[in-house]
Amino acid sequence: MSEPWDPSKPILEIENLSISFFTRLREIPAVMDFSCTVMAGEAMGLVGESGCGKSTVALAVMRYLGKNGRITGGSIRFKGRDLTNMEDEELRKIRGSEIAMIYQEPMASLNPAMKIGAQLAEVPMIHQGMAKDEAWKLARQIVADVRLPDPDRIINAYPHQLSGGQQQRIVIAMALMSKPALLILDEPTTALDVTVEAGIVDLVKELGTKYGTSMLFISHNLGLVLDVCDRLCVMYSGEAVETGNVEEVFDKMRHPYTQALFRSIPLPGADKNSRPLVAIPGNFPLPHERPNGCNFGPRCDYFTDGRCNAQDIPMAQVPGDDRHETRCIRSTEIDWNAPLAAVKMVEKTPIGRVVLKLDDLKKYYSVSGSAFGGGAGKVVKANETLSFEAREGETLAIVGESGCGKSTFAKVLMGLETATSGQIMLFDENVQNTPIQMRDTGTISKLQMVFQNPFDTLNPSSTVGRQIIRALEIFKFGNSDEERSARMLELLDLVKLPRAFAERMPRQLSGGQKQRVGIARAFAGGAKVVVADEPVSALDVSVQAAVTDLLMDIQRKNKTTLLFISHDLSIVRYLSDRVMVMYLGHVVEMGTTDQVFQPPYHPYTEALLSAVPIADTRVQKKRIVLEGDIPSAVNPPPGCPFQTRCRWKSQVANGLCDREVPPVRMLEGGHQIKCHLPDEVFATMEPVIKIAAE
């Protein structure tokens, strides 16, 4: 019989953990000498780039490493008991009841053929032998706890009847059904909108406090970690490189990799012209090709030959701080407060003539009343009266939650759909009713798209060079294969990829490299207008900096007009000249970046800004969590599309918001807001994001 656990001791203690995966060719060390401690009631953040071993550590705690994975050294103690040599029977009792895990993709954790209530009730029935009626009662209670509307409807619904944010709340509810002592969250909000993410983050913190749950929170988003966690562990290439109290690590970082991560994310004050982001040079080492000594050495600004690569570097205590440790041999010699070496400032791209003009664009879809065509037909109003113009050399950001009509508008613009009414003028050509197969090559080459997921846009069985040459052939570039090959190599230079990559297959490239090939292909025909649909959201923060920098570089050279679709307002603030905010098919606010990021705001923009996680301890944010989801475009609310979620609605007299769609108001400097709020209320609005004085 094991000793009772003392709550003053760590709930999770990982010591010198090493994990390898065994293939037919070799042993691949995924995690080496990793240590981390989580106290009772504490939230520990685990951050780092893809492939650094974060999820492998989480799966090792659950003992879910599969056939090829093996713990080759060290120990994982949960409540004082070592999980690494525990029998399967004992592990089954702990998993799901005392340790629960929430995965990135909620639908992968839910059974599509079972009602939500039955899936939730299963947990206490299996782990605690609870009676069915009692388990259903508890399921309803927990659904209410995770702040889902109408719990009785939700527990009788199937997963496909819920939105992504609601599904993720159900997965959290399922993990909490047996009130676990330790909750592991693996990128739980990556696929969600920032407004939904803000609600989930608040919920996780609140439930952690309510149930006294300890957390291991895995994320690559440093802003989220600052919001959720008490402590932080930064990982690089299978090792912990810095660990400590969140504020201490953010404000007094003592490892070059942590510093490099912060320099590559767009914090307030970063500017694409005067204070550009600094991408981390080089590439992440493959597990079987790690360098001697410090793994980060080949990419580090402070590397000293003969010292940093002479021996394995242990974690060392940072003097005077609370359990703050670093794996850097030079941490006491580096001037951590030294200003960044002067980065080359660039001229702002001159904004030229109007190249794209939309007038009252509408896109409606007809939907039959039932799957078999019976019943009354309905109309989905995906885009409502979109009007704007974009100029040569300008970056116009289009922001809003999923379902607001951003991607529908992109499809209409690209000719994948045709508009219901209105006009799209591309240069001097009216293209709104011309589907892509009817557009001439010149029009197609002028207007190109960079997609969100670089993995799905390349042909896996064709070399990189061949795929770019194919685009040049379609755009009728050059008179010979030699000319096209030479242009293909120039395009690889343009996106800063080695020319040798022309012979590589897509599977041999990293995510950031694939996205560069996608960008090279988009510019193959000399594109003048490029629609970038979430082009960096699938990439690591360090790669994001390099890819956004690349887009800006190409824009300066080619005077490209960039329509940048994103939900990441930090990146939008960094690189856009103007911002268009969309909600349920309507443009609710439009103006220069400075106008949109400072009051007065449209109430929806205000909520969006307050939801953005910012990795800066000096930032004070007003927290506005939107209740409810975006209404359906099949059945939009009457009056103002945002009135069902608006916190300012009571400030408008005579129920006007319920009855009438607001007019577009022109404020000074061409700033537009679609809202009924009177001027005196707009005048009282305070900034959502403030930076505390040093």
Side-chain angles (χ1 to χ4, degrees), residues 409-682:
F409 147 71
K411 284 179 192 165
V412 172
L413 184 58
M414 299 305 295
L416 301 171
E417 303 271 4
T418 50
T420 305
S421 66
Q423 259 196 349
I424 302 177
M425 297 296 293
L426 179 64
F427 295 95
D428 303 317
E429 187 184 355
N430 194 341
V431 295
Q432 86 277 4
N433 289 324
T434 318
I436 196 156
Q437 60 271 28
M438 308 289 287
R439 292 184 181 182
D440 64 48
T441 309
T443 306
I444 291 172
S445 65
K446 277 184 215 160
L447 177 63
Q448 282 291 300
M449 192 155 180
V450 177
F451 294 92
Q452 178 170 0
N453 196 337
F455 308 96
D456 295 340
T457 53
L458 299 179
N459 181 343
S461 55
S462 181
T463 65
V464 163
R466 181 68 210 129
Q467 297 193 50
I468 297 172
I469 288 171
R470 176 82 186 115
L472 291 167
E473 286 169 356
I474 290 167
F475 297 141
K476 300 185 170 56
F477 178 91
N479 299 316
S480 65
D481 288 347
E482 286 74 27
E483 278 184 43
R484 284 187 281 272
S485 286
R487 176 66 182 147
M488 177 268 293
L489 294 172
E490 284 170 16
L491 284 163
L492 286 179
D493 295 343
L494 181 74
V495 296
K496 299 184 172 68
L497 281 177
R499 289 186 166 201
F501 275 39
E503 300 305 315
R504 289 200 181 181
M505 303 299 277
R507 66 173 182 274
Q508 295 172 291
L509 308 188
S510 69
Q513 289 166 343
K514 284 180 188 167
Q515 193 59 295
R516 284 165 188 258
V517 176
I519 293 168
R521 207 169 48 175
F523 282 92
K528 292 294 174 198
V529 179
V530 170
V531 180
D533 188 1
E534 302 269 14
V536 293
S537 64
L539 307 174
D540 278 314
V541 285
S542 55
V543 183
Q544 275 183 16
V547 172
T548 48
D549 213 28
L550 170 70
L551 280 169
M552 295 297 101
D553 260 4
I554 295 173
Q555 182 181 49
R556 288 181 195 107
K557 275 184 201 143
N558 298 8
K559 296 187 177 167
T560 321
T561 303
L562 191 63
L563 299 182
F564 191 85
I565 298 174
S566 182
H567 66 262
D568 182 345
L569 287 163
S570 301
I571 289 251
V572 163
R573 182 176 206 162
Y574 169 67
L575 59 78
S576 64
D577 301 303
R578 285 191 304 139
V579 181
M580 179 166 104
V581 183
M582 288 185 72
Y583 185 82
L584 205 59
H586 294 257
V587 175
V588 294
E589 183 164 4
M590 187 160 179
T592 66
T593 307
D594 286 344
Q595 286 168 345
V596 171
F597 276 79
Q598 287 164 8
Y601 310 109
H602 185 280
Y604 176 57
T605 311
E606 181 190 47
L608 272 184
L609 290 172
S610 99
V612 179
I614 300 174
D616 192 332
T617 54
R618 297 169 305 147
V619 168
Q620 296 163 345
K621 275 190 310 183
K622 186 187 287 184
R623 192 67 151 165
I624 304 158
V625 175
L626 288 179
E627 297 298 325
D629 293 308
I630 287 194
S632 164
V634 176
N635 189 16
C640 172
F642 188 59
Q643 52 109 341
T644 55
R645 302 166 82 193
C646 181
R647 75 187 191 105
W648 292 90
K649 186 176 161 184
S650 59
Q651 306 280 338
V652 178
N654 306 325
L656 200 57
C657 301
D658 295 329
R659 296 196 316 274
E660 288 180 27
V661 174
V664 174
R665 306 258 290 278
M666 291 303 283
L667 307 178
E668 74 184 271
H671 185 190
Q672 309 173 21
I673 294 185
K674 199 173 195 174
C675 185
H676 286 303
L677 281 177
D679 290 346
E680 55 272 21
V681 175
F682 274 137

Side-chain angles (χ1 to χ4, degrees), residues 251-297:
D251 294 340
K252 291 171 59 182
M253 54 198 73
R254 289 294 178 268
H255 194 280
Y257 176 60
T258 314
Q259 186 184 57
L261 269 185
F262 275 88
R263 285 178 175 172
S264 64
I265 57 177
L267 297 173
D271 177 88
K272 64 179 177 183
N273 298 315
S274 60
R275 282 187 55 196
L277 300 178
V278 183
I280 305 176
N283 286 318
F284 203 70
L286 292 169
H288 55 283
E289 294 174 356
R290 291 187 175 109
N292 292 329
C294 175
N295 283 343
F296 188 59

Side-chain angles (χ1 to χ4, degrees), residues 54-88:
K54 306 185 299 285
S55 297
T56 306
V57 168
L59 292 169
V61 174
M62 295 297 281
R63 290 280 307 277
Y64 276 149
L65 288 170
K67 282 188 189 140
N68 298 345
R70 204 174 306 153
I71 293 170
T72 56
S75 63
I76 304 171
R77 281 195 293 283
F78 172 69
K79 289 188 172 178
R81 297 156 71 196
D82 194 343
L83 299 175
T84 54
N85 49 29
M86 206 174 263
E87 294 297 319
D88 286 352

